[in-house]
């Protein structure tokens, strides 16, 4: 048995899945799980939904308790940053000083929130990526009032919330803030909310829903913020008072705000990966087996890998993909180590061959009582056709294509059984007309 550990960098859903799969698949050598945040692995999708609303407390987001992690016999390094990686020797640098030589590495560092110049020095301006981010914003939205109970919004007084960015995160946060009774303005550079992710038709349905709930939707670019001097009662920095749009003197170009959420997307957390042996263009570039280099694999939001079914490198920021890819990367790493004679497994554990990772992507978004679900690829489509559009019933079904083949499908307001049946239609990209016929059969009554 080798004395070198396998290290999983990122105590995320992907990282946890990798660590558990390594043990389940027979790795009995040292296993190190490194997380930059001080928290045990937790689920991120509820940050912008149940946790922000106040319906859930942080403990409910925890993926595993300390007791549940104990059988993994982890060297758990929470609050620890990976700051470097030497690819040739598989040696990590932690917190700038410690060196950790590894038998293999799984990188699951996810993404970091993008922000705007000057935002970090202002009280009342937030991003929403981590548990601490979500708690800080929730505290802002409920400050001064009674805590939110089950099904009851907190009474923290009305805030003037401006959300910069009309993608998935911005729209989900807007829905929560309106349910809490706050004034909400969403401003984005795209005319239609979530259009880049789901297309114009679906985005228009969402826009109508938000407007009906009292959300103000604007199109424009943000130039900066106005603020007042620091008030110790609010926070250490100057207090944001408005968001300025780049169009200058037009009416409404200054949006009053006492709270701002910057939700303008994310960037893969690869800044610490400076070894020229790695390609970090839009994530960590991997082959079809999730390998970035010999003995080094990646999983989750950070990984951009060759998807066998689509024939091109893809990167997904989807919750289900994080778990599935963490498991796949761990299994393929073990198969590589076994081929090199560095198994670290119990005697008699059979070595498995590496397998390409070819998932059917799935994502969902909850906004008010509307649940959107999608399989396959919806972003980057060169053809979108809305097959069902029932605004009164708040139902929609859209098919997404690329280069003559159907690659994704999205639905809202349909029975769960019919939505699940759509997965098979886009598991392998089909010719467009064949996919339309199969969707018609899958969604037929009965």
């Amino acid at each position: 048995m080798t004395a070198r550990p396998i290290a999983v960098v990122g105590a995320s859903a992907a990282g946890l899945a990798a660590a558990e799969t390594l043990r389940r698949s027979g790795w009995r050598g040292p296993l190190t799980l490194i997380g930059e945040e001080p928290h045990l692995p937790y689920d991120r999708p509820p940050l912008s939904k149940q946790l922000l609303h106040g319906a859930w407390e942080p403990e409910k987001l925890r993926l595993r308790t300390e007791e549940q992690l104990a059988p993994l016999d982890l060297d758990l390094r929470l609050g620890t940053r990976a700051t470097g990686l030497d690819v040739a020797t598989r040696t990590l640098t932690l917190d700038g000083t410690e060196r950790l030589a590894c038998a293999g590495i799984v990188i699951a560092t996810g993404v970091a929130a993008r922000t705007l110049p000057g935002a970090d020095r202002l009280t009342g301006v937030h991003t929403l990526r981590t548990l601490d981010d979500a708690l800080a914003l929730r505290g802002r939205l409920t400050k001064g009032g009674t805590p939110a109970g089950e099904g009851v919004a907190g009474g923290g007084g009305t805030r003037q919330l401006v959300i910069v960015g009309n993608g998935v995160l911005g729209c989900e946060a807007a829905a929560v803030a309106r349910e809490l009774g706050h004034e909400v303005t969403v401003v984005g550079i795209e005319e239609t909310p979530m259009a880049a992710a789901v297309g114009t038709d679906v985005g228009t349905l969402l826009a109508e829903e938000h407007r009906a709930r009292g959300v103000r939707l604007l199109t424009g670019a943000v130039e900066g913020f106005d603020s007042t001097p620091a008030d110790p009662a609010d926070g250490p920095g100057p207090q944001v008072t408005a968001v300025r749009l780049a169009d200058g003197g037009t009416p409404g170009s200054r949006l009053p705000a006492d709270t701002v959420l910057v939700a303008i997307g994310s960037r893969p957390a690869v800044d610490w990966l400076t070894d020229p042996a790695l390609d970090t263009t839009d994530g960590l570039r991997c082959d079809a087996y999730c390998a970035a280099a010999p003995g080094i694999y990646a999983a989750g939001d950070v990984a951009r890998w060759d998807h066998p079914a689509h024939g091109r490198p893809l990167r997904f920021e989807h919750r289900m993909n994080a778990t599935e890819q963490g498991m796949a990367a761990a299994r393929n790493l073990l198969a590589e180590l076994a081929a090199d004679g560095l198994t670290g497994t119990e005697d008699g554990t059979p070595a498995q061959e590496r397998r390409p990772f070819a998932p059917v992507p799935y994502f969902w978004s909850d906004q008010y009582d509307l649940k959107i679900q999608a399989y396959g690829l919806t972003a980057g489509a060169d053809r979108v056709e809305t097959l069902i559009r029932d605004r009164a019933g708040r139902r929609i079904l859209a098919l997404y294509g690329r280069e003559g083949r159907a690659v994704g499908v999205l639905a809202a307001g349909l029975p769960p059984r019919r939505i699940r049946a759509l997965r098979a239609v886009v598991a392998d990209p089909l010719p467009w007309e064949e996919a339309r016929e199969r969707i018609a059969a899958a969604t037929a009554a009965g």
Side-chain angles (χ1 to χ4, degrees):
M1 180 183 296
T2 176
R4 287 191 170 196
I6 291 178
V8 179
V9 186
S12 56
L16 176 64
E20 292 184 329
T21 301
L22 287 165
R23 287 300 192 215
R24 190 164 52 245
S25 299
W27 177 259
R28 295 296 177 263
L31 181 56
T32 301
L33 180 59
I34 300 159
E36 184 172 355
E37 296 182 59
H39 310 292
L40 291 172
Y42 61 87
D43 214 10
R44 292 189 188 275
L47 294 179
S48 59
K49 306 177 186 74
Q50 296 93 335
L51 185 105
L52 185 61
H53 196 289
W56 289 9
E57 292 303 318
E59 292 74 19
K60 195 165 183 177
L61 274 64
R62 195 173 292 161
L63 293 171
R64 300 291 184 272
T65 63
E66 291 183 3
E67 292 75 17
Q68 291 169 327
L69 289 175
L72 298 179
D73 191 23
L74 295 172
D75 174 16
L76 186 58
R77 309 280 194 95
L78 299 178
T80 300
R81 292 182 62 236
T83 52
L85 170 61
D86 184 279
V87 171
T89 63
R90 303 178 195 173
T91 299
L92 289 165
T93 302
L94 305 179
D95 286 333
T97 56
E98 181 185 355
R99 302 291 187 269
L100 182 65
C102 302
I105 298 167
V106 177
I107 295 171
T109 46
V111 296
R114 296 185 185 276
T115 188
L116 293 170
D120 57 352
R121 67 177 184 84
L122 295 177
T123 296
V125 179
H126 299 259
T127 56
L128 182 49
R129 172 62 190 169
T130 69
L131 175 58
D132 291 342
D133 291 341
L135 290 174
L137 179 57
R138 184 173 81 169
R140 188 83 181 174
L141 296 179
T142 60
K143 186 176 180 180
T146 56
E150 186 174 352
V152 180
T158 301
R159 290 284 188 184
Q160 289 181 304
L161 171 66
V162 172
I163 298 175
V164 183
N166 59 2
V168 177
L169 177 62
C171 289
E172 289 181 347
V176 170
R178 279 303 298 147
E179 289 174 341
L180 291 172
H182 300 293
E183 296 179 13
V184 180
T185 299
V186 176
V187 56
I189 57 174
E190 298 289 342
E191 184 176 352
T192 305
M194 288 180 56
V198 300
T200 303
D201 253 13
V202 177
T204 299
L205 176 69
L206 292 170
E208 292 173 355
E209 186 71 18
H210 280 283
R211 289 192 180 101
R213 304 280 186 150
V215 176
R216 182 186 183 197
L217 301 177
L218 299 177
T219 304
V222 170
E223 181 181 68
F225 305 99
D226 291 345
S227 62
T228 58
D231 183 346
D234 285 324
Q239 167 64 47
V240 67
T241 57
V243 174
R244 298 194 312 276
L245 301 186
D247 55 2
T250 62
S253 61
R254 182 184 179 278
L255 307 176
D258 56 27
T259 306
V260 176
L261 171 62
V262 179
I264 56 174
S266 59
R267 53 180 178 77
V270 294
D271 292 350
W272 63 285
L273 297 170
T274 58
D275 192 309
L278 300 174
D279 179 354
T280 56
T281 305
D282 187 30
L284 182 54
R285 184 74 161 82
C286 301
D287 62 17
Y289 303 96
C290 308
I296 298 171
Y297 289 69
D301 298 359
V302 75
R304 185 169 68 94
W305 89 105
D306 293 330
H307 194 297
H310 294 280
R312 60 192 177 99
L314 297 173
R315 187 175 68 84
F316 300 139
E317 297 182 24
H318 300 163
R319 174 63 179 84
M320 294 302 296
N321 183 72
T323 294
E324 293 174 354
Q325 195 167 25
M327 296 168 66
R331 286 192 293 259
N332 286 338
L333 171 59
L334 279 185
E336 179 185 328
L337 295 181
D340 293 341
L342 298 173
T343 64
T345 59
E346 293 177 334
D347 294 340
T349 301
Q352 296 183 355
E353 293 185 357
R354 298 195 309 163
R355 296 179 181 177
F357 180 57
V360 179
Y362 168 76
F363 84 89
W364 77 95
S365 178
D366 295 319
Q367 298 175 38
Y368 308 107
D369 55 354
L370 187 66
K371 190 177 191 71
I372 302 161
Q373 299 181 76
Y375 291 103
L377 308 181
T378 57
D382 57 28
R383 182 177 182 180
V384 181
E385 182 177 350
T386 303
L387 304 176
I388 296 176
R389 185 193 295 109
D390 175 7
R391 285 190 165 84
R394 301 162 74 240
R395 299 190 310 143
I396 196 162
L397 174 63
L399 184 64
Y400 300 77
R402 184 182 175 94
E403 298 176 351
R405 291 185 172 269
V407 296
V409 61
L410 177 148
L414 300 183
R417 177 176 56 83
R418 295 183 187 174
I419 292 177
R420 289 192 296 269
L422 300 175
R423 182 184 186 277
V425 178
V426 294
D428 290 304
L430 294 173
W432 184 263
E433 291 303 324
E434 181 181 348
R436 290 182 82 256
E437 293 173 2
R438 292 185 61 178
I439 284 180
T443 57

